[in-house]
Amino acid sequence: MALASLAILLAVAGYAVLCAVQPFAPCRKCTGMGVRLTRRQKVKVCRRCRGQRYRLRTGRRLLNTGRNIHHAGTRRPRHHDTDPEVTPWP
């Protein structure tokens, strides 16, 4: 039981390091080419990566969202945040 928990913890830590070091991965839809072939052999720009050939990893997206939420919750209020005419809550 402890060995399985340690293995899961190491896998999650390894993925977190990978997301920090290399936040982008090749697009899975177009296999990193930026374009896809349609059924009629027509070349189209990949919709998922928009032709950029890379996508943001899921772990990095979660990290960025967590940072944004933390930053929004701990920032100092600005003038328009405390103005009763602008702020919808008391």
Side-chain angles (χ1 to χ4, degrees), residues 43-60:
V43 177
K44 291 179 70 175
V45 175
C46 178
R47 291 189 307 179
R48 184 174 290 178
C49 67
R50 297 182 194 103
Q52 297 295 318
R53 299 175 22 186
Y54 292 102
R55 63 174 177 84
L56 194 61
R57 292 183 191 272
T58 306
R60 186 60 182 219

Side-chain angles (χ1 to χ4, degrees), residues 1-38:
M1 183 79 170
L3 187 61
S5 298
L6 181 64
I8 290 172
L9 184 65
L10 285 176
V12 169
Y15 184 68
V17 169
L18 179 67
C19 288
V21 173
Q22 192 175 7
F24 293 96
C27 178
R28 288 179 286 197
K29 190 78 169 180
C30 64
T31 62
M33 298 214 18
V35 293
R36 295 185 318 123
L37 290 175
T38 62

